[in-house]
Amino acid sequence: ARFSLVMDETYQKQRLDYTDPGTQETVTWAYFDRLLENALIAAPESLDRALVVDRAQTDNLLYLVDNSTSKRTYVGTLQNVERVLWSFSSNLVLVRTMSANGDVGTWLVDTDKPLLAEFPLSLSFEKVVWDDSNRIVFATRQNVEALEGAAYDTPLDALKALLSGEFDEDQNAAFFIGEYDPSTNIYRTLYKASESLGLNYDE
């Protein structure tokens, strides 16, 4: 809500403005030559950059805007971006997408490279947080123990393991709480909630 896209009549370009909630002062972060529609704008707490998603079409264009330099960088394209979750770092962000047939995807985006990699596990954004060491902590019904201790070169390699059936649900577990470290590509099980405990993953 602190960001807005407005047409600058002087330059005939669309302008990305940030309004300080305390002082109500408005600062222009960047200009866009083309009009962005139905844009999603998200920034980390550091407010040194912002991810701007142009959702005018099914293929959404992702841009990184640097606050200090007003530089715009094309990050990549994803379909139907719904939500964005920044880490405590200023370069790592999770992006949730929804396909036309209802399939939910979670993407790890490194805005410095830039790099977009699909996260192999099926995650609900309501059950995902970043810790202060920039690791992803999450809950899932999928068998995280199958990944534990294994280092995958990329999330795509872990996705291949998923498709081979390695992550099939553990019939003795209601859900897992896991951790993923993007710097090492290592997964770890933090907690396995046994079915016998009667815990409900959906609550």
Side-chain angles (χ1 to χ4, degrees):
R2 301 177 185 182
F3 290 94
S4 58
L5 284 165
V6 296
M7 175 57 71
D8 189 305
E9 299 299 337
T10 302
Y11 298 106
Q12 290 299 305
K13 294 183 178 182
Q14 200 172 39
R15 195 176 69 218
L16 175 64
D17 286 348
Y18 170 80
T19 301
D20 187 292
T23 65
Q24 297 303 308
E25 179 186 2
T26 298
V27 178
T28 297
W29 276 33
Y31 288 90
F32 288 88
D33 295 324
R34 57 185 298 276
L35 291 179
L36 277 62
E37 298 180 28
N38 189 25
L40 174 65
I41 305 164
E45 288 189 20
S46 58
L47 288 175
D48 61 338
R49 55 181 61 189
L51 189 69
V52 179
V53 184
D54 181 3
R55 300 187 291 182
Q57 300 178 2
T58 301
D59 289 333
N60 299 170
L61 305 177
L62 281 68
Y63 299 96
L64 178 69
V65 176
D66 188 298
N67 179 18
S68 61
T69 64
S70 297
K71 180 182 177 182
R72 290 178 294 110
T73 304
Y74 173 69
V75 175
T77 302
L78 291 174
Q79 289 194 344
N80 299 316
V81 173
E82 284 197 329
R83 291 183 61 187
V84 171
L85 184 65
W86 278 95
S87 66
F88 289 94
S89 165
S90 61
N91 67 303
L92 295 175
V93 60
L94 281 177
V95 175
R96 172 188 161 108
T97 60
M98 177 77 75
S99 70
N101 61 4
D103 291 335
V104 176
T106 304
W107 295 78
L108 178 64
V109 179
D110 187 333
T111 57
D112 280 349
K113 293 195 181 340
L115 173 70
L116 287 72
E118 188 170 13
F119 202 72
L121 297 168
S122 177
L123 301 179
S124 165
F125 255 43
E126 288 71 29
K127 295 177 172 60
V128 177
V129 296
W130 288 93
D131 71 11
D132 56 7
S133 297
N134 294 313
R135 293 182 293 248
I136 302 168
V137 179
F138 57 88
T140 180
R141 285 195 175 100
Q142 290 171 288
N143 188 357
V144 181
E145 286 185 336
L147 287 174
E148 194 166 35
Y152 294 89
D153 290 335
T154 67
L156 178 60
D157 292 330
L159 181 61
K160 291 176 181 176
L162 168 65
L163 296 175
S164 71
E166 290 184 35
F167 295 117
D168 289 345
E169 295 178 14
D170 185 328
Q171 298 303 314
N172 297 317
F175 60 88
F176 292 85
I177 296 177
E179 174 190 83
Y180 170 68
D181 186 342
S183 66
T184 61
N185 288 314
I186 291 179
Y187 299 81
R188 189 162 65 101
T189 302
L190 301 179
Y191 181 69
K192 177 180 176 179
S194 172
E195 282 281 4
S196 62
L197 296 176
L199 298 174
N200 189 344
Y201 172 81
D202 294 318
E203 291 182 353

